[in-house]
Amino acid sequence: LRWNHQMKKYPSITKKCPDPSKVIWAFDKIDGSNIRVEWFRKHGFSKFASRTRLLGPDQGLLFLAETLFRQNHAEELERRFREAGFDRAMVFAEFHGPNSFAGDHVEGEEHRLTLIDLSVHRKGFMDPQEFIEFTEGLDTAPLLYNGPATPEFIQSVRESRLEGVTEEGVVCKGRKTRSGSMMFKIKSDKWLDRLRSYCGDNENLFNKLA
C-alpha cells in the first residue's frame, strides 16, 4: 500500500466557480470511474490504480482498465512522453460504458478508457490547451466550450442545453496560476435528479457523489 500512496491522486473538484471573469475550457464530464496510470522513463507504464488503490482482479470490471489502456493509449503516449523529454508522468482517465452511472458499470457492455488529464513530474497538471494539443488523436473528454463562465453558460449546462454535453455535466479548467490550477464542475439537474433516486434516503452517498 505504501507504493500506492506515492501515486498522485486526482484532486477533489469544487462546485464553485472561483472567478467567473476568467476564461475556462469546459470538457464533457464522463460518468465513469477515475483511473490513474503512472509512467516512468525507465520502467514505462508500471502502476495502475483506481482513485484509492492499486488495480486488482478483485475490483471487477475496473480491472479491465489496464488492458484497455495498453491496447488504446500506451504506445502513443509512451512515444509522446519520450519525445517531450519527460522523466515521469501521471495519466488520469475515466473508465466507462454506455450505461455506467455514478461509479456503477454494467457487465457485458463494451467499456472505454477516456483520458481526462495529464500531470508531469515537477511541472504539475498540463494547462487545458496544452492537454488538448498533446493528446490530439487520442480518446479524450471532448471540449464543449471555451470562454468566460457566464451565468448563461452555467445555466445551459444545468438544463442540458450545451451542445455535445452528455448526461452528467462538465468539468471546467482554467490556466495555471501561482496558486495552482483552477478547476470546478457543473452538473446537470437531470443527472442530479437521477442520482437522488439512485441514492434514496442515503444523504451521505448523495453528497459524496453529487
Side-chain angles (χ1 to χ4, degrees):
L1 280 176
R2 186 168 58 84
W3 188 44
N4 182 29
H5 288 168
Q6 296 172 356
M7 291 181 76
K8 188 183 185 85
K9 290 187 176 181
Y10 203 64
S12 178
I13 308 175
T14 180
K15 300 171 190 173
K16 182 177 172 61
C17 175
D19 188 347
S21 68
K22 297 287 187 184
V23 170
I24 54 102
W25 284 253
F27 297 86
D28 192 35
K29 192 171 192 316
I30 309 295
D31 192 351
S33 293
N34 189 256
I35 298 293
R36 300 174 285 158
V37 184
E38 194 160 27
W39 177 85
F40 298 84
R41 178 170 286 272
K42 188 175 180 180
H43 305 293
F45 293 104
S46 54
K47 286 187 182 180
F48 292 79
S50 65
R51 179 177 285 278
T52 56
R53 50 167 287 200
L54 291 174
L55 284 182
D58 62 325
Q59 285 171 283
L61 292 175
L62 272 193
F63 191 53
L64 297 172
E66 179 174 348
T67 300
L68 289 174
F69 183 85
R70 293 195 183 281
Q71 287 176 344
N72 302 313
H73 298 298
E75 184 177 351
E76 185 57 26
L77 280 177
E78 174 92 28
R79 183 184 70 78
R80 296 183 192 191
F81 287 169
R82 290 187 180 278
E83 279 187 1
F86 298 160
D87 290 319
R88 181 176 166 189
M90 184 74 74
V91 181
F92 293 95
E94 286 289 319
F95 176 86
H96 61 109
N99 291 293
S100 294
F101 179 73
D104 280 347
H105 308 285
V106 180
E107 190 89 41
E109 287 192 341
E110 184 175 343
H111 289 82
R112 291 166 55 189
L113 196 65
T114 299
L115 306 181
I116 60 169
D117 249 318
L118 294 175
S119 179
V120 181
H121 187 52
R122 299 189 188 282
K123 295 181 180 179
F125 282 97
M126 286 184 176
D127 270 347
Q129 190 59 44
E130 183 185 4
F131 172 79
I132 290 168
E133 293 167 3
F134 191 89
T135 58
E136 185 178 4
L138 296 174
D139 180 8
T140 61
L143 177 70
L144 304 182
Y145 174 83
N146 182 210
T150 63
E152 292 77 17
F153 159 72
I154 293 171
Q155 199 61 25
S156 75
V157 177
R158 288 180 176 156
E159 296 176 358
S160 304
R161 292 186 287 104
L162 182 67
E163 187 175 352
V165 72
T166 52
E167 190 176 16
E168 188 170 358
V170 296
V171 175
C172 303
K173 302 172 186 178
R175 290 199 182 279
K176 280 194 292 190
T177 63
R178 288 181 183 178
S179 58
S181 301
M182 181 177 83
M183 184 160 54
F184 63 97
K185 60 189 175 185
I186 308 168
K187 298 203 174 184
S188 74
D189 294 339
K190 177 181 176 183
W191 190 87
L192 290 172
D193 286 345
R194 184 180 174 191
L195 182 66
R196 176 65 69 187
S197 297
Y198 173 85
C199 295
D201 295 331
N202 193 334
E203 197 67 25
N204 287 336
L205 180 62
F206 178 83
N207 291 331
K208 179 183 176 182
L209 297 174

